[in-house]
Every structure is written in C-alpha cells, then in structure tokens.
Amino acid sequence: MRVHGKVVAFCALAVSVSECSAFATPKASPAFLGKTQRDMYSKADADMAPVDALWEESSSITVQGTTLRTCSLPVSVDKAQLMLKSEGRPLTSRVDLYHGPDYIPWKCGVYTENGLTRPVNLVVPTPLTGNTLAMQNTGFSEFPFYACAKVDAGSPRLDNFVKKLTDEGSAKLVQGGAVSTTPFDHSVESVQILLKSDTRHLKARIELLNGPNNLKQSFEVYSSNGYKRPFMAVINTPGDGNVIRIVNTATLEYPLTATVEPYVVASADEAAEEGLTWTQ
C-alpha cells in the first residue's frame, strides 16, 4: 500500500512523503551480466515507482540562475532523494547538507550538459536531526532548472535498496589519488553508483564520459564520514560508448570503495531495434 503524506515545504523547496523507492524499475534483467546482477534487478522490484512517476507526484520548484533555495528536513528522515532537471540546457548546482547553523558534513557539486537527457538523481544522506538542504544554482540567469526533493517516512524500501546494492554489488577499492573507470554496453540505459568509506573522509569526482574525455555529467562530492553519509546516484547513460570514471581526489590515507552497477538495461530486442547510435 502506498502512503502519501503532506507536502513539507520550507523556504519554497517541497519535500513530499511517500513510501515509494527513489529509483526506477529496470525494464529487463541484464542478460550479459552474472547471476548476482540479474537477481538484483529482476521483476521482483516491480512495485518500485519509476522516477517520472515520482516527479509527477511531488511538488517541484524552479531555481533561477545564481539563486539559493533551502529546505528543512523532517526529523524522522535519514535519506532524501533529490532530482534536478532542465529543459535541455546545461545544469550546474551545488548541494550542501547543513547540520546545525554552519556545519556542512556533506556537499556535492553537480554538472550535466543536458538536464533533460541526463537529469540529476541522487540520494542525500541525512542521519541525525537538524538537517537542512541548501541548493544553489551556480549557473547564469539564462540557465534555470527544476528541483524536486522526496523522502521516505516509515518505509524501509530505500534503505533496502541501498543495502542490496551494498551486499550484492561488486565493490572496488579506490586508493587516494587513484582513478577507476567502468565502461558499459550500449544496452545499459542507466547506472547506479555507491561510494563509501570506513568512517573516514570521502572526497571524489564522478564523471560520465561519452567518447574520449567528452564529459557529459559530473559530481564533486565531499563527506566528513563516508560510512554514515555515503554518495549514491543513478546516472542516465543514453547512446553508446559510455564510461564512468571515478577519481579519488583525497590523499593516499583516505581510500574509498566504489560500487558501479547497471540499473536500467534494455532487452535484446530493444537493443537490436536501435541500430546506429549517435552522441546525445
């Protein structure tokens, strides 16, 4: 049963309460992946609402260029899904999580070349109480974007989703200063990423490349505690030649573990019908 609560809006950013999960349901099991990945993203998760449906159900706001919007999160919430998109123009933003009046334990700089084809879809960890989400459009006034925040109140679905990715995904150790790349087949329509550490600082850059150094989307993330406040996002990967590059920008003393898995994978018939693919 889906439970919809009242919309909580502080300083004009709307946060609606639902027990739906934060991410979309895969269209098909990845046929070219191993058994673990097929089990992770099977039709058993069909009751998880897709992102488009969540956007329609939630209240969104327009964030004009160079402006700042803030939102106080409910006490019972320990994770919030944040979605940003534009009408096809570039999108640049800075997302800060405030704990108290001036302490920022988690922050993320966001860039996407096309906010419609590749919208921003990430999970902001909000443990403890007194959390405020601040979002600043760092682009010019000609480049506004739309924002929507959604939380799960009293529902374990988002927690279970993160736990499943942690337990069943293939984690890779990325030492401080190291670079990790993961290419994907053209049938992979989106990927999910989880970065965490063993309670130490986490500082990294996540990039979506389409071709040699052709940057399409990037995240610059910092967390004071990569275990309590990890980084998790779902990135759209339309077209062919997509590569996820993760750079641990911290020093050698601060390694991190990265889990990068396919999320939405087209069926064999859908992939065959696409034919030639062009850079989007």
Side-chain angles (χ1 to χ4, degrees), residues 239-261:
D240 200 358
N242 291 296
V243 175
I244 297 294
R245 179 166 65 188
I246 298 174
V247 183
N248 187 341
T249 55
T251 56
L252 185 64
E253 297 83 3
Y254 299 98
L256 62 86
T257 56
T259 305
V260 183
E261 296 285 355

Side-chain angles (χ1 to χ4, degrees), residues 132-210:
T132 299
L133 195 61
M135 183 173 45
Q136 182 178 7
N137 186 340
T138 56
F140 296 105
S141 58
E142 295 85 0
F143 300 104
F145 63 77
Y146 307 101
C148 174
K150 200 171 185 67
V151 298
D152 290 346
S155 171
R157 292 192 178 185
L158 183 55
D159 290 332
N160 291 341
F161 186 85
V162 176
K163 185 177 184 300
K164 181 179 287 188
L165 179 59
T166 303
D167 295 342
E168 302 181 18
S170 300
K172 182 177 181 180
L173 181 66
V174 183
Q175 298 288 353
V179 179
S180 174
T181 59
T182 306
F184 286 95
D185 187 84
H186 72 279
S187 62
V188 177
E189 299 180 357
S190 64
V191 299
Q192 53 187 340
I193 301 173
L194 173 64
L195 303 184
K196 62 192 307 183
S197 67
D198 55 351
T199 72
R200 286 182 277 187
H201 291 277
L202 187 153
K203 190 177 181 182
R205 182 172 68 251
I206 303 95
E207 300 173 334
L208 170 63
L209 305 176
N210 188 262

Side-chain angles (χ1 to χ4, degrees), residues 73-128:
L73 298 174
V75 176
S76 60
V77 173
D78 63 354
K79 291 182 182 67
Q81 182 195 3
L82 180 64
M83 295 173 286
L84 311 177
K85 69 177 182 179
S86 69
E87 296 180 348
R89 295 183 177 185
L91 188 158
T92 58
S93 177
R94 173 172 169 167
V95 180
D96 295 333
L97 176 67
Y98 281 85
H99 184 70
D102 56 2
Y103 176 48
I104 305 177
W106 188 96
K107 60 183 178 181
C108 182
V110 176
Y111 164 78
T112 181
E113 182 184 68
N114 186 325
L116 183 62
T117 304
R118 299 177 182 87
V120 175
N121 186 14
L122 56 84
V123 173
V124 180
T126 59
L128 306 177

Side-chain angles (χ1 to χ4, degrees), residues 7-16 58-61 70-71 147-150:
V7 175
V8 182
F10 293 91
C11 301
L13 178 59
V15 179
S16 62
S58 304
S59 299
S60 62
I61 62 169
T70 61
C71 169
C148 174
K150 200 171 185 67

